[in-house]
Each structure stands twice: as structure tokens, then as C-alpha cells.
Amino acid sequence: MSKTMSKTSGESIHLREAAERFGTGDRIADISRFGAGNVNDTFLVASHSHENRSFLLQRINGRVFNMPEWIMQNLRVLSEHVSRRMARTPPAGRRWETARFLETRDLKDFWIDPEGRYWRAMSIIEEANSFESVLDSGHAREVGFAIGFFHALVSDLAPRSLKDTLKGFHVTPLYLRRYREVLAAGRVAPSADIGRCLEFIERRTGLVGVLEDARADGRLPLRIIHGDPKVGNVMIDTGTKRAVSIVDLDTVKPGLVHYDIGDALRSCCNPAGEEAARLDDVRFEPELCRAFLEGYFEAAGDFLARPERELVYEAARLIAFELGLRFFTDFLEGDLYFNVSDRGQNLRRALVQFRLTESIESQVRGLKAIIRESAGE
Ligand code: GN1
Ligand code: MG
């Protein structure tokens, strides 16, 4: 696995204990930080006996997810549904796997430490890598396939069978409202970058309702969504280079598939990535968009009706803008939501997403044509 890893020291007094709770009985050889998640903390636990006994251990961020037991409940429902579907309609010509959740010795799929924090553990998808930014159009196509395949797998799971684990997630008007409240509390000294963000947002307040309005008037139905389908959450087989799994299932819940399509596009079509060092490198690449959508429609089939497909462009622009707004609000609020390594990181992340939004806007006609073409219209 190619995700960044580093040694942990004093991470949590309960880290080793949590690892032992889910352990297979072997002695633990090493625990290291894993991946680049912005919300939960993930660790790779290696045992002394055999590499295959390694597993991932995660501490759920209780500030973000205030009902962690709902997450586990959803995951149980999802896993049963997906096993049934996979037995009936496995994907042709490729392996597809879903991470297994491990049990503690008393047969629970989570452990609550003495400070009330939730831990859970899951199996590793073997011989697969994930990447924080897109590599090429072959990769984009596979990311599209994975998200389309996931949508197809859950298309017959009733939205009400899953709990809403994160109320308001991707409801852009609510993020705008929160932004206004934080702004009114005004705790950050002005700067040129902050001024740019304020102006950027003000010029786009009219677009925040584009998906919620379509949901309210029935153009977009509620479905089951992944919630966090960024490029780094799709596992790619190290040999065949095909997508084999989609991970990070905490936000699988009822929602609009346009949140997913928009989020995946804003992630998958920006080769410079979310943490781009130079803003001028940030752009929305139309050929990656085409590749992503071809993969998506190949796997999802025609389950998106034409009026829904017409909102795909709006979804990509909106979710790029929304993520910028979320990063900027968190910066203004003092970095309470997203993990950061320094005080300016959320502001830099916001500027990246806003630059990406502009790049999407500047290509509106071309992108709409690509969306129609890749859906076979
Ligand atoms: C967060 O923690 P991570 O990387 O899985 C966030 C997503 C953002 C993403 C941006 C629950 O996901 O919405 O798109 O950061 N997840 C949540 O990197 O807020
Ligand atoms: Mg996530």
C-alpha cells in the first residue's frame, strides 16, 4: 500500500490497547499512522507472525460523528446487502472486495475506550494501492467505475434502511449558513487571501441551492450514497491497475448521488491534488472527466435519468465550491473539523478548491458536452 506512513509516539494512551482488543492473538510488532484522512485517525497494525495478519485500526472522530454506533449499524446492513448482490451479480472480469470489520474478543465490531472514544478495525484489501491524486485517464476511468459500481450495488437498498450518520452533510445551503455565523463572530485578522475567499464566496451564493432545490421539487430522488468518494478512497489492484474496492464507508447513508458524482469529479479531475503546492497547477482536466464518466456509466448503467444527468455539471462545480467553503469556514473557526498540520492549511486548501471551481466554470460548455457524450447521448 502506498499511503504515507509514519511512526506514532504518544498518539493515544489507548492505541495499543485498542489494537490488542481487535488483534488475532499474535504479538503486535508495530503500529504506524496510515493514510491521509482529514477526519478520523487511522493506524496500520502489524503483527509478529505474518504480514497477512496486518489490519487497519481506526479511531472515529467524535466531534464529527456524534453517533458512532449508527455508523457500525449502517455498515452491517450495507455489508449484508452487498454480499447478497455480489453473489447474484458479481462484476465481470475483475475482483471486487469489501473490507471486513474485525471483532473484539467479546464479539463486538467496535470498542469504546475509557475516554469514550470509538475504535474499530478492518481487514486490508491485499495487493492494492490508493493514491491521493489522480495518475492518468486510466486511473480516472477506474475511479469512475468503482463509484458507478458502488451506486449500482446499493441502487436497490432502500434509503430508509440506513441511518443519517452525519446530518446536513453536503447540504450546501447549511454550510453557507454556518459560514455566515462564523464570519459574524469575526475572529481572524484580514489578509489578501482571506479577502479573495470572502469575495469568491459572495459572488456564488446564488448557486448553493442547485441540488437541494432539485431534491425538494422531486427532480433528484434520495438514494444511498458513499458520501466521500474521493480518488484516495478507491483501491487499485497493483497488477491489473483496475479498481477493486471503495473504502471509507462511514458516510454511506441516504443522500443524492450527485453529491458523490460531484465530489468524485472535483477530486479525480484535479491532477495537482487537494494539497497542491502551487495554485497555478490546479485545474479541472476535461479528459479526466471524460474518462471518469465513461467508467462511471459503464458500471452504473442507465440508472440516472436524463434530467439527473443534466445536473452532473452543476454537481461538480457545487461540490468543489462547497469543499472550499467548508475548508475556509473551518480556517475561520480555528481548525475544529479537519485535521491540519499547520494554521494556514485549511486556508490553502480552500484556495485550491476555489481555483478548481473557477476552472470548472470556465469550461462549462465543453464539460456539458463531455457529460452528454459519455452517457451515450
Ligand atoms: C474528509 O477524512 P476524509 O479524508 O475521509 C471529509 C470529506 C472531504 C475530504 C477532503 C466526513 O474526508 O467530506 O471531501 O475530507 N469527510 C467528512 O479531503 O467530512
Ligand atoms: Mg472519509
Side-chain angles (χ1 to χ4, degrees):
M1 298 199 147
S2 74
K3 288 200 169 188
T4 45
M5 293 184 203
S6 62
K7 283 272 170 209
T8 54
S9 58
E11 288 277 3
S12 156
I13 40 169
H14 303 298
L15 177 56
R16 178 160 281 269
E17 188 182 353
E20 278 160 2
R21 298 259 163 179
F22 290 100
T24 44
D26 300 320
R27 227 153 26 86
I28 291 166
D30 190 42
I31 307 179
S32 48
R33 241 186 202 271
F34 182 83
N38 290 331
V39 173
N40 293 326
D41 294 307
T42 308
F43 305 90
L44 178 70
V45 181
S47 79
H48 268 295
S49 63
H50 195 270
E51 174 67 10
N52 285 339
R53 297 284 183 89
S54 297
F55 63 91
L56 294 179
L57 179 67
Q58 233 178 11
R59 183 176 49 208
I60 297 180
N61 183 332
R63 265 194 342 251
V64 171
F65 296 104
N66 52 24
M67 295 294 281
E69 49 283 278
W70 282 6
I71 295 181
M72 298 315 292
Q73 190 183 318
N74 278 359
L75 290 172
R76 276 176 236 127
V77 174
L78 177 75
S79 137
E80 270 174 38
H81 177 83
V82 167
S83 322
R84 265 199 310 272
R85 280 291 308 264
M86 286 289 294
R88 232 175 38 228
T89 42
R94 72 166 72 213
R95 74 171 164 124
W96 184 265
E97 289 178 26
T98 309
R100 250 174 335 98
F101 285 88
L102 310 187
E103 289 184 337
T104 59
R105 264 163 275 136
D106 51 355
L107 305 181
K108 296 244 170 51
D109 52 12
F110 59 89
W111 176 64
I112 307 174
D113 74 23
E115 286 164 89
R117 310 240 233 169
Y118 274 71
W119 296 80
R120 43 87 193 278
M122 63 209 97
S123 64
I124 285 175
I125 310 289
E126 297 293 343
E127 285 164 52
N129 282 328
S130 69
F131 305 88
E132 290 310 316
S133 52
V134 66
L135 305 175
D136 51 31
S137 16
H139 185 203
R141 192 172 211 292
E142 287 303 308
V143 174
F145 183 94
I147 290 149
F149 188 66
F150 179 85
H151 283 170
L153 276 179
V154 294
S155 60
D156 58 342
L157 180 59
R160 65 176 181 283
S161 56
L162 297 187
K163 299 269 191 197
D164 190 345
T165 47
L166 199 53
K167 283 253 174 325
F169 191 47
H170 290 310
V171 180
T172 320
L174 296 181
Y175 291 111
L176 184 66
R177 193 162 86 195
R178 179 79 194 127
Y179 160 73
R180 293 222 189 283
E181 288 165 4
V182 170
L183 201 59
R187 281 184 294 147
V188 177
S191 73
D193 281 344
I194 293 176
R196 264 193 282 280
C197 289
L198 297 173
E199 200 197 321
F200 190 89
I201 295 166
E202 282 320 311
R203 274 191 275 120
R204 284 164 185 80
T205 54
L207 67 90
V208 298
V210 63
L211 294 184
E212 296 316 310
D213 292 350
R215 168 189 184 153
D217 65 23
R219 274 175 295 150
L220 292 181
L222 213 56
R223 293 192 162 106
I224 294 298
I225 61 160
H226 179 280
D228 192 5
K230 60 183 189 180
V231 59
N233 283 337
V234 173
M235 305 299 302
I236 304 290
D237 185 288
T238 45
T240 63
K241 309 291 182 219
R242 307 196 82 178
V244 291
S245 185
I246 181 162
V247 296
D248 195 5
L249 304 172
D250 301 332
T251 47
V252 174
K253 67 188 197 82
L256 301 179
V257 289
H258 285 62
Y259 301 154
D260 277 358
I261 299 171
D263 196 51
L265 283 171
R266 65 114 202 120
S267 166
C268 191
C269 304
N270 165 23
E274 284 177 26
E275 310 284 346
R278 280 168 25 96
L279 267 189
D280 284 345
D281 293 341
V282 177
R283 64 184 191 284
F284 189 90
E285 205 44 80
E287 287 316 308
L288 293 174
C289 175
R290 184 189 298 280
F292 173 94
L293 288 173
E294 283 172 1
Y296 180 85
F297 287 122
E298 181 197 331
D302 52 7
F303 94 107
L304 275 194
R306 190 169 185 169
E308 295 181 82
R309 293 200 301 269
E310 278 168 4
L311 284 168
V312 166
Y313 165 82
E314 276 75 14
R317 177 177 59 162
L318 181 71
I319 303 295
F321 173 71
E322 178 195 276
L323 185 58
L325 180 66
R326 293 172 64 201
F327 283 142
F328 186 56
T329 305
D330 198 34
F331 168 75
L332 294 175
E333 219 174 354
D335 305 322
L336 301 178
Y337 186 99
F338 295 105
N339 293 335
V340 289
S341 52
D342 65 85
R343 181 64 184 106
Q345 190 174 12
N346 272 324
L347 177 58
R348 293 195 302 276
R349 287 168 170 163
L351 289 165
V352 167
Q353 293 305 314
F354 290 155
R355 181 61 76 90
L356 189 63
T357 308
E358 277 176 333
S359 174
I360 296 171
E361 290 169 346
S362 70
Q363 304 180 71
V364 52
R365 287 167 64 97
L367 292 176
K368 285 190 172 178
I370 287 175
I371 294 163
R372 281 194 303 274
E373 285 157 22
S374 40
E377 277 178 36

